[in-house]
Amino acid sequence: LEIYKKPNSLIKGVQIGAITYSFRSMQDQSAEATLKYVVDSGISAIELMGDPAETFAGRIKNPVDGRAYYTLREASKKGTISDDQIKELADMDAQRDSYKKEVAFWRAGVSMDKFEQLRKMYQDAGVSIYAFKPSAFGKDNTDAEINWGMRAAKALGASHVTLEHPGDDAWTQKLGDMGEKHGIYVAYHGHLQQTPTLWDTALAQSKFNAINLDLGHFVAAGNTAPLEFIKAKHDRIKSMHTKD
Protein backbone atom coordinates (compact mmCIF):
# COMPACT_ATOMS: atom_id res chain seq x y z
CA LEU A 1 0.00 0.00 0.00
CA GLU A 2 2.88 2.38 0.81
CA ILE A 3 4.03 2.49 -2.83
CA TYR A 4 0.72 4.05 -3.85
CA LYS A 5 1.22 6.88 -1.35
CA LYS A 6 4.47 7.94 -2.98
CA PRO A 7 4.64 10.42 -5.87
CA ASN A 8 5.47 9.18 -9.35
CA SER A 9 6.21 11.67 -12.10
CA LEU A 10 8.02 9.22 -14.36
CA ILE A 11 5.74 9.37 -17.40
CA LYS A 12 6.28 6.91 -20.26
CA GLY A 13 9.95 6.70 -19.37
CA VAL A 14 10.42 10.47 -19.11
CA GLN A 15 11.29 11.82 -15.66
CA ILE A 16 9.28 14.99 -15.03
CA GLY A 17 10.71 16.98 -12.15
CA ALA A 18 10.75 20.44 -10.64
CA ILE A 19 13.27 22.89 -9.26
CA THR A 20 12.40 23.72 -5.66
CA TYR A 21 12.77 27.42 -6.55
CA SER A 22 9.17 26.91 -7.73
CA PHE A 23 8.11 26.89 -4.06
CA ARG A 24 10.01 30.04 -3.06
CA SER A 25 6.83 31.98 -2.19
CA MET A 26 5.87 29.47 0.51
CA GLN A 27 6.37 30.68 4.07
CA ASP A 28 8.26 27.64 5.35
CA GLN A 29 11.44 27.01 3.39
CA SER A 30 12.77 24.15 5.52
CA ALA A 31 13.84 20.84 3.98
CA GLU A 32 10.87 19.10 5.59
CA ALA A 33 8.33 21.64 4.31
CA THR A 34 9.92 21.63 0.85
CA LEU A 35 9.58 17.85 0.72
CA LYS A 36 5.88 18.15 1.53
CA TYR A 37 5.36 20.70 -1.26
CA VAL A 38 7.08 18.33 -3.70
CA VAL A 39 5.13 15.25 -2.63
CA ASP A 40 1.83 17.15 -2.61
CA SER A 41 2.60 18.16 -6.21
CA GLY A 42 3.06 14.53 -7.23
CA ILE A 43 6.70 15.12 -8.16
CA SER A 44 9.18 12.28 -7.66
CA ALA A 45 12.47 13.95 -8.72
CA ILE A 46 13.84 17.42 -8.09
CA GLU A 47 16.55 20.00 -8.67
CA LEU A 48 17.14 21.11 -5.08
CA MET A 49 18.03 24.69 -4.22
CA GLY A 50 20.77 25.19 -1.65
CA ASP A 51 18.91 26.80 1.25
CA PRO A 52 16.69 23.87 2.38
CA ALA A 53 19.65 21.47 2.40
CA GLU A 54 22.07 23.88 4.06
CA THR A 55 19.71 24.94 6.83
CA PHE A 56 18.92 21.26 7.45
CA ALA A 57 22.67 20.68 7.85
CA GLY A 58 22.97 23.49 10.41
CA ARG A 59 23.96 26.58 8.46
CA ILE A 60 23.40 29.77 10.44
CA LYS A 61 20.48 31.96 9.44
CA ASN A 62 21.04 34.98 7.20
CA PRO A 63 20.50 38.12 9.33
CA VAL A 64 19.38 40.09 6.25
CA ASP A 65 15.80 39.82 5.00
CA GLY A 66 16.20 38.97 1.32
CA ARG A 67 13.00 40.59 0.10
CA ALA A 68 13.70 43.84 1.95
CA TYR A 69 17.26 43.88 0.61
CA TYR A 70 16.29 43.39 -3.02
CA THR A 71 13.51 45.96 -2.71
CA LEU A 72 16.10 48.52 -1.62
CA ARG A 73 18.51 47.41 -4.36
CA GLU A 74 15.79 47.93 -6.93
CA ALA A 75 14.98 51.38 -5.52
CA SER A 76 18.67 52.27 -5.69
CA LYS A 77 18.85 51.24 -9.35
CA LYS A 78 15.78 53.34 -10.16
CA GLY A 79 17.06 56.34 -8.22
CA THR A 80 14.00 56.38 -5.94
CA ILE A 81 15.91 55.57 -2.75
CA SER A 82 15.90 57.98 0.22
CA ASP A 83 18.95 58.98 2.30
CA ASP A 84 17.78 56.81 5.20
CA GLN A 85 17.30 53.87 2.85
CA ILE A 86 20.80 54.38 1.44
CA LYS A 87 22.19 53.97 4.96
CA GLU A 88 19.96 50.95 5.54
CA LEU A 89 21.16 49.36 2.32
CA ALA A 90 24.81 50.00 3.21
CA ASP A 91 24.24 48.32 6.58
CA MET A 92 22.61 45.34 4.86
CA ASP A 93 25.54 45.06 2.45
CA ALA A 94 27.98 44.97 5.36
CA GLN A 95 25.92 42.29 7.11
CA ARG A 96 25.72 40.25 3.90
CA ASP A 97 29.51 40.41 3.41
CA SER A 98 30.08 39.25 6.98
CA TYR A 99 27.52 36.48 6.64
CA LYS A 100 29.04 35.27 3.39
CA LYS A 101 32.39 34.79 5.13
CA GLU A 102 30.73 32.87 7.96
CA VAL A 103 28.95 30.61 5.46
CA ALA A 104 32.20 29.96 3.57
CA PHE A 105 33.88 28.95 6.82
CA TRP A 106 30.93 26.68 7.73
CA ARG A 107 30.87 25.02 4.32
CA ALA A 108 34.61 24.28 4.46
CA GLY A 109 34.22 22.20 7.60
CA VAL A 110 30.68 20.79 7.65
CA SER A 111 30.16 17.02 7.68
CA MET A 112 28.26 15.32 4.86
CA ASP A 113 26.22 13.30 7.38
CA LYS A 114 23.21 15.63 7.36
CA PHE A 115 23.16 15.79 3.56
CA GLU A 116 23.12 11.99 3.44
CA GLN A 117 20.32 12.04 6.04
CA LEU A 118 18.34 14.48 3.90
CA ARG A 119 18.83 12.26 0.86
CA LYS A 120 17.40 9.29 2.79
CA MET A 121 14.45 11.34 4.09
CA TYR A 122 13.57 12.37 0.55
CA GLN A 123 14.11 8.88 -0.86
CA ASP A 124 11.89 7.37 1.83
CA ALA A 125 9.14 9.74 0.68
CA GLY A 126 9.65 8.69 -2.96
CA VAL A 127 11.64 11.74 -4.10
CA SER A 128 15.10 11.60 -5.70
CA ILE A 129 17.43 14.58 -6.06
CA TYR A 130 18.96 14.72 -9.55
CA ALA A 131 20.56 18.17 -9.29
CA PHE A 132 21.74 20.54 -6.56
CA LYS A 133 21.86 24.35 -6.91
CA PRO A 134 23.54 26.07 -3.97
CA SER A 135 25.08 29.55 -4.25
CA ALA A 136 28.58 28.07 -4.15
CA PHE A 137 29.90 28.17 -7.71
CA GLY A 138 30.29 31.88 -8.44
CA LYS A 139 33.52 33.74 -9.02
CA ASP A 140 33.24 35.23 -5.53
CA ASN A 141 33.14 31.77 -3.93
CA THR A 142 36.24 30.05 -2.58
CA ASP A 143 37.62 26.77 -3.92
CA ALA A 144 36.63 25.23 -0.57
CA GLU A 145 33.01 26.26 -1.20
CA ILE A 146 33.05 24.83 -4.72
CA ASN A 147 34.46 21.56 -3.40
CA TRP A 148 31.82 21.56 -0.66
CA GLY A 149 29.03 22.08 -3.20
CA MET A 150 30.16 19.14 -5.28
CA ARG A 151 30.66 16.87 -2.28
CA ALA A 152 27.22 17.82 -0.97
CA ALA A 153 25.68 17.09 -4.38
CA LYS A 154 27.14 13.59 -4.29
CA ALA A 155 25.90 13.06 -0.74
CA LEU A 156 22.41 14.11 -1.86
CA GLY A 157 22.52 11.62 -4.73
CA ALA A 158 22.65 14.25 -7.49
CA SER A 159 24.40 13.60 -10.79
CA HIS A 160 25.05 17.28 -11.40
CA VAL A 161 25.13 20.76 -9.92
CA THR A 162 23.53 23.73 -11.66
CA LEU A 163 24.34 27.43 -11.86
CA GLU A 164 23.73 30.37 -14.14
CA HIS A 165 26.09 30.38 -17.13
CA PRO A 166 28.91 32.71 -15.99
CA GLY A 167 29.87 33.90 -19.47
CA ASP A 168 33.51 33.39 -18.51
CA ASP A 169 35.54 30.74 -20.33
CA ALA A 170 38.20 30.56 -17.62
CA TRP A 171 35.54 29.93 -14.99
CA THR A 172 33.76 27.18 -16.92
CA GLN A 173 37.16 25.53 -17.44
CA LYS A 174 37.82 25.69 -13.71
CA LEU A 175 34.41 24.28 -12.77
CA GLY A 176 34.66 21.54 -15.38
CA ASP A 177 38.05 20.49 -14.00
CA MET A 178 36.73 20.49 -10.43
CA GLY A 179 33.64 18.59 -11.50
CA GLU A 180 35.83 15.90 -13.04
CA LYS A 181 37.78 15.59 -9.81
CA HIS A 182 34.54 14.94 -7.91
CA GLY A 183 32.75 12.95 -10.61
CA ILE A 184 29.95 15.54 -10.70
CA TYR A 185 28.66 17.24 -13.84
CA VAL A 186 28.34 21.04 -13.93
CA ALA A 187 25.24 22.09 -15.89
CA TYR A 188 24.90 25.72 -16.90
CA HIS A 189 21.49 27.42 -16.93
CA GLY A 190 20.63 30.28 -19.26
CA HIS A 191 18.02 32.96 -19.77
CA LEU A 192 17.63 35.32 -22.71
CA GLN A 193 21.35 35.07 -23.55
CA GLN A 194 20.78 31.49 -24.71
CA THR A 195 21.74 30.66 -28.28
CA PRO A 196 22.50 27.30 -29.90
CA THR A 197 26.22 28.03 -29.42
CA LEU A 198 26.16 29.44 -25.86
CA TRP A 199 27.52 26.26 -24.29
CA ASP A 200 29.94 25.22 -27.05
CA THR A 201 33.14 26.42 -25.40
CA ALA A 202 32.26 24.96 -22.00
CA LEU A 203 31.28 21.63 -23.54
CA ALA A 204 34.57 21.47 -25.44
CA GLN A 205 36.55 22.28 -22.32
CA SER A 206 35.43 19.30 -20.26
CA LYS A 207 33.20 16.27 -20.53
CA PHE A 208 31.94 17.26 -17.08
CA ASN A 209 30.56 20.58 -18.35
CA ALA A 210 26.93 20.22 -19.39
CA ILE A 211 23.66 22.01 -20.12
CA ASN A 212 20.71 22.88 -17.88
CA LEU A 213 18.51 24.12 -20.71
CA ASP A 214 15.75 26.63 -20.03
CA LEU A 215 13.47 25.91 -22.95
CA GLY A 216 11.05 28.75 -22.19
CA HIS A 217 13.76 31.39 -22.24
CA PHE A 218 15.49 29.70 -25.19
CA VAL A 219 12.37 30.21 -27.31
CA ALA A 220 11.67 33.68 -25.87
CA ALA A 221 15.20 34.68 -26.90
CA GLY A 222 14.19 34.10 -30.53
CA ASN A 223 15.68 30.66 -31.14
CA THR A 224 13.27 29.10 -33.61
CA ALA A 225 14.42 25.46 -33.66
CA PRO A 226 14.50 24.23 -30.04
CA LEU A 227 13.83 20.60 -30.95
CA GLU A 228 16.77 20.58 -33.36
CA PHE A 229 18.98 21.95 -30.60
CA ILE A 230 17.77 19.26 -28.16
CA LYS A 231 18.41 16.53 -30.73
CA ALA A 232 21.91 17.86 -31.44
CA LYS A 233 22.92 18.32 -27.78
CA HIS A 234 20.80 15.65 -26.06
CA ASP A 235 23.82 13.77 -24.72
CA ARG A 236 25.10 16.92 -22.96
CA ILE A 237 21.75 18.11 -21.52
CA LYS A 238 21.61 16.90 -17.92
CA SER A 239 18.30 18.56 -17.07
CA MET A 240 15.89 21.03 -18.59
CA HIS A 241 13.38 23.65 -17.52
CA THR A 242 10.38 23.66 -19.82
CA LYS A 243 9.18 26.95 -18.29
CA ASP A 244 11.13 29.08 -15.83
Side-chain angles (χ1 to χ4, degrees):
L1 184 60
E2 282 298 314
I3 194 170
Y4 294 108
K5 295 180 181 179
K6 293 183 178 180
N8 182 9
S9 55
L10 182 67
I11 302 171
K12 294 185 177 181
V14 178
Q15 181 64 69
I16 305 300
I19 182 171
T20 56
Y21 183 72
S22 301
F23 306 110
R24 66 192 179 280
S25 64
M26 306 298 279
Q27 186 65 34
D28 190 343
Q29 291 293 304
S30 67
E32 294 86 350
T34 298
L35 177 58
K36 186 176 186 307
Y37 306 147
V38 172
V39 171
D40 287 351
S41 300
I43 297 296
S44 58
I46 58 168
E47 178 183 349
L48 181 65
M49 296 296 291
D51 282 351
E54 290 190 72
T55 53
F56 183 82
R59 190 194 69 193
I60 54 175
K61 185 178 179 181
N62 191 336
V64 177
D65 181 276
R67 291 184 182 181
Y69 176 75
Y70 286 108
T71 297
L72 288 179
R73 282 281 302 272
E74 193 63 27
S76 179
K77 288 178 184 177
K78 293 179 179 178
T80 58
I81 192 169
S82 68
D83 289 344
D84 286 343
Q85 287 175 323
I86 289 172
K87 293 177 183 176
E88 185 180 358
L89 182 58
D91 181 59
M92 284 184 173
D93 279 329
Q95 289 184 66
R96 279 167 57 86
D97 288 344
S98 176
Y99 177 69
K100 184 172 177 57
K101 291 175 184 176
E102 291 183 72
V103 169
F105 180 79
W106 175 82
R107 285 170 168 169
V110 67
S111 164
M112 291 294 111
D113 290 352
K114 292 293 283 187
F115 295 96
E116 291 168 358
Q117 183 183 334
L118 187 151
R119 172 185 182 176
K120 184 177 187 305
M121 179 173 73
Y122 275 51
Q123 282 183 333
D124 288 348
V127 177
S128 64
I129 300 166
Y130 57 80
F132 185 43
K133 191 173 188 175
S135 58
F137 305 116
K139 287 183 278 188
D140 57 345
N141 292 109
T142 64
D143 284 4
E145 288 182 280
I146 297 169
N147 283 319
W148 162 83
M150 293 181 178
R151 289 174 58 232
K154 290 195 83 167
L156 291 167
S159 66
H160 59 289
V161 298
T162 57
L163 70 149
E164 304 306 309
H165 194 297
D168 183 318
D169 295 345
W171 198 251
T172 54
Q173 180 72 71
K174 178 186 178 78
L175 292 180
D177 291 345
M178 294 181 79
E180 183 170 10
K181 182 179 73 172
H182 288 278
I184 284 285
Y185 290 93
V186 183
Y188 302 97
H189 183 78
H191 291 105
L192 294 179
Q193 88 277 32
Q194 291 176 113
T195 66
T197 60
L198 173 67
W199 296 270
D200 283 359
T201 298
L203 297 182
Q205 287 171 333
S206 171
K207 65 181 181 180
F208 281 87
N209 278 335
I211 301 170
N212 173 242
L213 177 66
D214 187 315
L215 191 59
H217 277 119
F218 187 84
V219 174
N223 300 294
T224 58
L227 291 179
E228 292 307 311
F229 176 81
I230 292 169
K231 288 176 184 177
K233 305 288 189 183
H234 69 91
D235 59 331
R236 306 300 296 273
I237 298 173
K238 290 300 173 185
S239 55
M240 184 172 76
H241 296 190
T242 55
K243 180 68 174 72
D244 193 30

PDB file of all heavy atoms in Angstrom, residues 187-211:
ATOM      1  N   ALA A 187      26.189  21.730 -14.822  1.00  0.00           N
ATOM      2  CA  ALA A 187      25.240  22.086 -15.886  1.00  0.00           C
ATOM      3  C   ALA A 187      24.875  23.561 -15.779  1.00  0.00           C
ATOM      4  O   ALA A 187      24.399  24.023 -14.735  1.00  0.00           O
ATOM      5  CB  ALA A 187      23.989  21.213 -15.787  1.00  0.00           C
ATOM      6  N   TYR A 188      25.080  24.270 -16.879  1.00  0.00           N
ATOM      7  CA  TYR A 188      24.901  25.722 -16.900  1.00  0.00           C
ATOM      8  C   TYR A 188      23.511  26.093 -17.414  1.00  0.00           C
ATOM      9  O   TYR A 188      23.076  25.642 -18.476  1.00  0.00           O
ATOM     10  CB  TYR A 188      25.981  26.367 -17.773  1.00  0.00           C
ATOM     11  CG  TYR A 188      27.374  26.040 -17.295  1.00  0.00           C
ATOM     12  CD1 TYR A 188      28.105  24.998 -17.883  1.00  0.00           C
ATOM     13  CD2 TYR A 188      27.962  26.737 -16.247  1.00  0.00           C
ATOM     14  CE1 TYR A 188      29.380  24.674 -17.436  1.00  0.00           C
ATOM     15  CE2 TYR A 188      29.239  26.428 -15.798  1.00  0.00           C
ATOM     16  CZ  TYR A 188      29.938  25.389 -16.390  1.00  0.00           C
ATOM     17  OH  TYR A 188      31.197  25.070 -15.939  1.00  0.00           O
ATOM     18  N   HIS A 189      22.845  26.944 -16.631  1.00  0.00           N
ATOM     19  CA  HIS A 189      21.494  27.421 -16.931  1.00  0.00           C
ATOM     20  C   HIS A 189      21.591  28.747 -17.684  1.00  0.00           C
ATOM     21  O   HIS A 189      22.545  29.504 -17.506  1.00  0.00           O
ATOM     22  CB  HIS A 189      20.742  27.635 -15.610  1.00  0.00           C
ATOM     23  CG  HIS A 189      19.323  28.055 -15.757  1.00  0.00           C
ATOM     24  ND1 HIS A 189      18.322  27.170 -16.077  1.00  0.00           N
ATOM     25  CD2 HIS A 189      18.723  29.253 -15.605  1.00  0.00           C
ATOM     26  CE1 HIS A 189      17.158  27.814 -16.114  1.00  0.00           C
ATOM     27  NE2 HIS A 189      17.382  29.087 -15.833  1.00  0.00           N
ATOM     28  N   GLY A 190      20.624  29.021 -18.533  1.00  0.00           N
ATOM     29  CA  GLY A 190      20.630  30.280 -19.264  1.00  0.00           C
ATOM     30  C   GLY A 190      19.267  30.939 -19.289  1.00  0.00           C
ATOM     31  O   GLY A 190      18.245  30.302 -19.043  1.00  0.00           O
ATOM     32  N   HIS A 191      19.270  32.213 -19.593  1.00  0.00           N
ATOM     33  CA  HIS A 191      18.025  32.964 -19.769  1.00  0.00           C
ATOM     34  C   HIS A 191      17.988  33.507 -21.196  1.00  0.00           C
ATOM     35  O   HIS A 191      18.167  32.756 -22.137  1.00  0.00           O
ATOM     36  CB  HIS A 191      17.914  34.049 -18.696  1.00  0.00           C
ATOM     37  CG  HIS A 191      17.691  33.493 -17.328  1.00  0.00           C
ATOM     38  ND1 HIS A 191      18.673  33.445 -16.373  1.00  0.00           N
ATOM     39  CD2 HIS A 191      16.592  32.916 -16.773  1.00  0.00           C
ATOM     40  CE1 HIS A 191      18.191  32.876 -15.265  1.00  0.00           C
ATOM     41  NE2 HIS A 191      16.941  32.540 -15.493  1.00  0.00           N
ATOM     42  N   LEU A 192      17.784  34.782 -21.362  1.00  0.00           N
ATOM     43  CA  LEU A 192      17.629  35.317 -22.710  1.00  0.00           C
ATOM     44  C   LEU A 192      18.951  35.426 -23.479  1.00  0.00           C
ATOM     45  O   LEU A 192      18.950  35.786 -24.654  1.00  0.00           O
ATOM     46  CB  LEU A 192      16.932  36.681 -22.660  1.00  0.00           C
ATOM     47  CG  LEU A 192      15.480  36.640 -22.174  1.00  0.00           C
ATOM     48  CD1 LEU A 192      14.891  38.047 -22.132  1.00  0.00           C
ATOM     49  CD2 LEU A 192      14.621  35.733 -23.049  1.00  0.00           C
ATOM     50  N   GLN A 193      20.071  35.086 -22.825  1.00  0.00           N
ATOM     51  CA  GLN A 193      21.349  35.069 -23.547  1.00  0.00           C
ATOM     52  C   GLN A 193      21.557  33.740 -24.261  1.00  0.00           C
ATOM     53  O   GLN A 193      22.556  33.547 -24.963  1.00  0.00           O
ATOM     54  CB  GLN A 193      22.508  35.355 -22.575  1.00  0.00           C
ATOM     55  CG  GLN A 193      23.106  34.135 -21.869  1.00  0.00           C
ATOM     56  CD  GLN A 193      22.343  33.704 -20.640  1.00  0.00           C
ATOM     57  OE1 GLN A 193      21.131  33.836 -20.552  1.00  0.00           O
ATOM     58  NE2 GLN A 193      23.071  33.173 -19.654  1.00  0.00           N
ATOM     59  N   GLN A 194      20.611  32.809 -24.112  1.00  0.00           N
ATOM     60  CA  GLN A 194      20.781  31.491 -24.705  1.00  0.00           C
ATOM     61  C   GLN A 194      20.733  31.544 -26.241  1.00  0.00           C
ATOM     62  O   GLN A 194      19.841  32.161 -26.821  1.00  0.00           O
ATOM     63  CB  GLN A 194      19.684  30.536 -24.215  1.00  0.00           C
ATOM     64  CG  GLN A 194      19.800  30.159 -22.747  1.00  0.00           C
ATOM     65  CD  GLN A 194      18.645  29.289 -22.306  1.00  0.00           C
ATOM     66  OE1 GLN A 194      18.827  28.129 -21.987  1.00  0.00           O
ATOM     67  NE2 GLN A 194      17.451  29.844 -22.263  1.00  0.00           N
ATOM     68  N   THR A 195      21.706  30.889 -26.835  1.00  0.00           N
ATOM     69  CA  THR A 195      21.744  30.663 -28.280  1.00  0.00           C
ATOM     70  C   THR A 195      22.171  29.210 -28.471  1.00  0.00           C
ATOM     71  O   THR A 195      22.661  28.576 -27.523  1.00  0.00           O
ATOM     72  CB  THR A 195      22.775  31.581 -28.974  1.00  0.00           C
ATOM     73  OG1 THR A 195      24.094  31.201 -28.525  1.00  0.00           O
ATOM     74  CG2 THR A 195      22.524  33.052 -28.663  1.00  0.00           C
ATOM     75  N   PRO A 196      22.049  28.682 -29.677  1.00  0.00           N
ATOM     76  CA  PRO A 196      22.495  27.302 -29.898  1.00  0.00           C
ATOM     77  C   PRO A 196      23.991  27.088 -29.644  1.00  0.00           C
ATOM     78  O   PRO A 196      24.423  25.947 -29.466  1.00  0.00           O
ATOM     79  CB  PRO A 196      22.145  27.055 -31.368  1.00  0.00           C
ATOM     80  CG  PRO A 196      20.982  27.968 -31.630  1.00  0.00           C
ATOM     81  CD  PRO A 196      21.300  29.198 -30.844  1.00  0.00           C
ATOM     82  N   THR A 197      24.773  28.172 -29.620  1.00  0.00           N
ATOM     83  CA  THR A 197      26.217  28.026 -29.422  1.00  0.00           C
ATOM     84  C   THR A 197      26.695  28.492 -28.039  1.00  0.00           C
ATOM     85  O   THR A 197      27.901  28.471 -27.765  1.00  0.00           O
ATOM     86  CB  THR A 197      26.985  28.826 -30.498  1.00  0.00           C
ATOM     87  OG1 THR A 197      26.632  30.218 -30.399  1.00  0.00           O
ATOM     88  CG2 THR A 197      26.655  28.315 -31.895  1.00  0.00           C
ATOM     89  N   LEU A 198      25.771  28.894 -27.167  1.00  0.00           N
ATOM     90  CA  LEU A 198      26.160  29.445 -25.864  1.00  0.00           C
ATOM     91  C   LEU A 198      27.085  28.512 -25.085  1.00  0.00           C
ATOM     92  O   LEU A 198      28.043  28.954 -24.458  1.00  0.00           O
ATOM     93  CB  LEU A 198      24.910  29.748 -25.020  1.00  0.00           C
ATOM     94  CG  LEU A 198      25.174  30.178 -23.568  1.00  0.00           C
ATOM     95  CD1 LEU A 198      25.873  31.535 -23.521  1.00  0.00           C
ATOM     96  CD2 LEU A 198      23.875  30.229 -22.763  1.00  0.00           C
ATOM     97  N   TRP A 199      26.795  27.221 -25.116  1.00  0.00           N
ATOM     98  CA  TRP A 199      27.517  26.257 -24.291  1.00  0.00           C
ATOM     99  C   TRP A 199      28.725  25.636 -25.001  1.00  0.00           C
ATOM    100  O   TRP A 199      29.424  24.816 -24.404  1.00  0.00           O
ATOM    101  CB  TRP A 199      26.575  25.138 -23.851  1.00  0.00           C
ATOM    102  CG  TRP A 199      25.460  25.583 -22.968  1.00  0.00           C
ATOM    103  CD1 TRP A 199      25.465  25.652 -21.595  1.00  0.00           C
ATOM    104  CD2 TRP A 199      24.149  25.998 -23.365  1.00  0.00           C
ATOM    105  NE1 TRP A 199      24.241  26.083 -21.119  1.00  0.00           N
ATOM    106  CE2 TRP A 199      23.420  26.308 -22.190  1.00  0.00           C
ATOM    107  CE3 TRP A 199      23.519  26.135 -24.596  1.00  0.00           C
ATOM    108  CZ2 TRP A 199      22.091  26.742 -22.223  1.00  0.00           C
ATOM    109  CZ3 TRP A 199      22.199  26.576 -24.632  1.00  0.00           C
ATOM    110  CH2 TRP A 199      21.503  26.874 -23.452  1.00  0.00           C
ATOM    111  N   ASP A 200      28.949  25.956 -26.260  1.00  0.00           N
ATOM    112  CA  ASP A 200      29.941  25.220 -27.054  1.00  0.00           C
ATOM    113  C   ASP A 200      31.335  25.209 -26.427  1.00  0.00           C
ATOM    114  O   ASP A 200      31.997  24.160 -26.365  1.00  0.00           O
ATOM    115  CB  ASP A 200      30.018  25.785 -28.477  1.00  0.00           C
ATOM    116  CG  ASP A 200      28.848  25.337 -29.342  1.00  0.00           C
ATOM    117  OD1 ASP A 200      27.991  24.576 -28.841  1.00  0.00           O
ATOM    118  OD2 ASP A 200      28.791  25.754 -30.519  1.00  0.00           O
ATOM    119  N   THR A 201      31.797  26.355 -25.977  1.00  0.00           N
ATOM    120  CA  THR A 201      33.141  26.418 -25.398  1.00  0.00           C
ATOM    121  C   THR A 201      33.234  25.575 -24.139  1.00  0.00           C
ATOM    122  O   THR A 201      34.170  24.779 -23.973  1.00  0.00           O
ATOM    123  CB  THR A 201      33.533  27.880 -25.092  1.00  0.00           C
ATOM    124  OG1 THR A 201      33.556  28.625 -26.307  1.00  0.00           O
ATOM    125  CG2 THR A 201      34.908  27.944 -24.438  1.00  0.00           C
ATOM    126  N   ALA A 202      32.256  25.725 -23.251  1.00  0.00           N
ATOM    127  CA  ALA A 202      32.262  24.958 -21.997  1.00  0.00           C
ATOM    128  C   ALA A 202      32.219  23.460 -22.270  1.00  0.00           C
ATOM    129  O   ALA A 202      32.934  22.681 -21.633  1.00  0.00           O
ATOM    130  CB  ALA A 202      31.088  25.379 -21.123  1.00  0.00           C
ATOM    131  N   LEU A 203      31.401  23.052 -23.221  1.00  0.00           N
ATOM    132  CA  LEU A 203      31.276  21.629 -23.538  1.00  0.00           C
ATOM    133  C   LEU A 203      32.580  21.076 -24.107  1.00  0.00           C
ATOM    134  O   LEU A 203      32.934  19.916 -23.846  1.00  0.00           O
ATOM    135  CB  LEU A 203      30.133  21.399 -24.522  1.00  0.00           C
ATOM    136  CG  LEU A 203      28.724  21.777 -24.045  1.00  0.00           C
ATOM    137  CD1 LEU A 203      27.699  21.448 -25.130  1.00  0.00           C
ATOM    138  CD2 LEU A 203      28.363  21.085 -22.740  1.00  0.00           C
ATOM    139  N   ALA A 204      33.289  21.900 -24.870  1.00  0.00           N
ATOM    140  CA  ALA A 204      34.567  21.469 -25.445  1.00  0.00           C
ATOM    141  C   ALA A 204      35.667  21.407 -24.387  1.00  0.00           C
ATOM    142  O   ALA A 204      36.619  20.632 -24.516  1.00  0.00           O
ATOM    143  CB  ALA A 204      34.980  22.414 -26.572  1.00  0.00           C
ATOM    144  N   GLN A 205      35.519  22.208 -23.346  1.00  0.00           N
ATOM    145  CA  GLN A 205      36.554  22.285 -22.324  1.00  0.00           C
ATOM    146  C   GLN A 205      36.628  21.020 -21.471  1.00  0.00           C
ATOM    147  O   GLN A 205      37.708  20.604 -21.045  1.00  0.00           O
ATOM    148  CB  GLN A 205      36.301  23.484 -21.400  1.00  0.00           C
ATOM    149  CG  GLN A 205      36.591  24.822 -22.032  1.00  0.00           C
ATOM    150  CD  GLN A 205      36.119  25.982 -21.164  1.00  0.00           C
ATOM    151  OE1 GLN A 205      35.173  25.850 -20.378  1.00  0.00           O
ATOM    152  NE2 GLN A 205      36.781  27.118 -21.313  1.00  0.00           N
ATOM    153  N   SER A 206      35.464  20.441 -21.171  1.00  0.00           N
ATOM    154  CA  SER A 206      35.429  19.303 -20.256  1.00  0.00           C
ATOM    155  C   SER A 206      34.194  18.451 -20.504  1.00  0.00           C
ATOM    156  O   SER A 206      33.107  18.991 -20.734  1.00  0.00           O
ATOM    157  CB  SER A 206      35.415  19.789 -18.799  1.00  0.00           C
ATOM    158  OG  SER A 206      35.175  18.715 -17.907  1.00  0.00           O
ATOM    159  N   LYS A 207      34.358  17.150 -20.399  1.00  0.00           N
ATOM    160  CA  LYS A 207      33.204  16.266 -20.528  1.00  0.00           C
ATOM    161  C   LYS A 207      32.285  16.389 -19.318  1.00  0.00           C
ATOM    162  O   LYS A 207      31.147  15.918 -19.343  1.00  0.00           O
ATOM    163  CB  LYS A 207      33.652  14.816 -20.697  1.00  0.00           C
ATOM    164  CG  LYS A 207      34.380  14.230 -19.496  1.00  0.00           C
ATOM    165  CD  LYS A 207      34.800  12.791 -19.757  1.00  0.00           C
ATOM    166  CE  LYS A 207      35.512  12.194 -18.549  1.00  0.00           C
ATOM    167  NZ  LYS A 207      35.933  10.795 -18.794  1.00  0.00           N
ATOM    168  N   PHE A 208      32.765  17.059 -18.268  1.00  0.00           N
ATOM    169  CA  PHE A 208      31.938  17.265 -17.076  1.00  0.00           C
ATOM    170  C   PHE A 208      31.192  18.588 -17.100  1.00  0.00           C
ATOM    171  O   PHE A 208      30.426  18.885 -16.185  1.00  0.00           O
ATOM    172  CB  PHE A 208      32.786  17.122 -15.802  1.00  0.00           C
ATOM    173  CG  PHE A 208      33.026  15.681 -15.448  1.00  0.00           C
ATOM    174  CD1 PHE A 208      34.098  14.998 -15.988  1.00  0.00           C
ATOM    175  CD2 PHE A 208      32.150  15.000 -14.618  1.00  0.00           C
ATOM    176  CE1 PHE A 208      34.312  13.659 -15.689  1.00  0.00           C
ATOM    177  CE2 PHE A 208      32.342  13.663 -14.320  1.00  0.00           C
ATOM    178  CZ  PHE A 208      33.433  12.981 -14.855  1.00  0.00           C
ATOM    179  N   ASN A 209      31.400  19.406 -18.132  1.00  0.00           N
ATOM    180  CA  ASN A 209      30.560  20.582 -18.348  1.00  0.00           C
ATOM    181  C   ASN A 209      29.340  20.149 -19.143  1.00  0.00           C
ATOM    182  O   ASN A 209      29.448  19.344 -20.077  1.00  0.00           O
ATOM    183  CB  ASN A 209      31.322  21.667 -19.098  1.00  0.00           C
ATOM    184  CG  ASN A 209      32.196  22.500 -18.182  1.00  0.00           C
ATOM    185  OD1 ASN A 209      31.929  22.600 -16.984  1.00  0.00           O
ATOM    186  ND2 ASN A 209      33.253  23.100 -18.726  1.00  0.00           N
ATOM    187  N   ALA A 210      28.178  20.687 -18.790  1.00  0.00           N
ATOM    188  CA  ALA A 210      26.929  20.223 -19.395  1.00  0.00           C
ATOM    189  C   ALA A 210      25.919  21.367 -19.479  1.00  0.00           C
ATOM    190  O   ALA A 210      26.225  22.515 -19.156  1.00  0.00           O
ATOM    191  CB  ALA A 210      26.369  19.056 -18.583  1.00  0.00           C
ATOM    192  N   ILE A 211      24.717  21.020 -19.898  1.00  0.00           N
ATOM    193  CA  ILE A 211      23.658  22.009 -20.125  1.00  0.00           C
ATOM    194  C   ILE A 211      22.483  21.775 -19.183  1.00  0.00           C
ATOM    195  O   ILE A 211      22.032  20.645 -18.999  1.00  0.00           O
ATOM    196  CB  ILE A 211      23.150  21.925 -21.583  1.00  0.00           C
ATOM    197  CG1 ILE A 211      24.293  22.166 -22.576  1.00  0.00           C
ATOM    198  CG2 ILE A 211      22.013  22.925 -21.830  1.00  0.00           C
ATOM    199  CD1 ILE A 211      23.921  21.856 -24.027  1.00  0.00           C
TER     200      ILE A 211
END
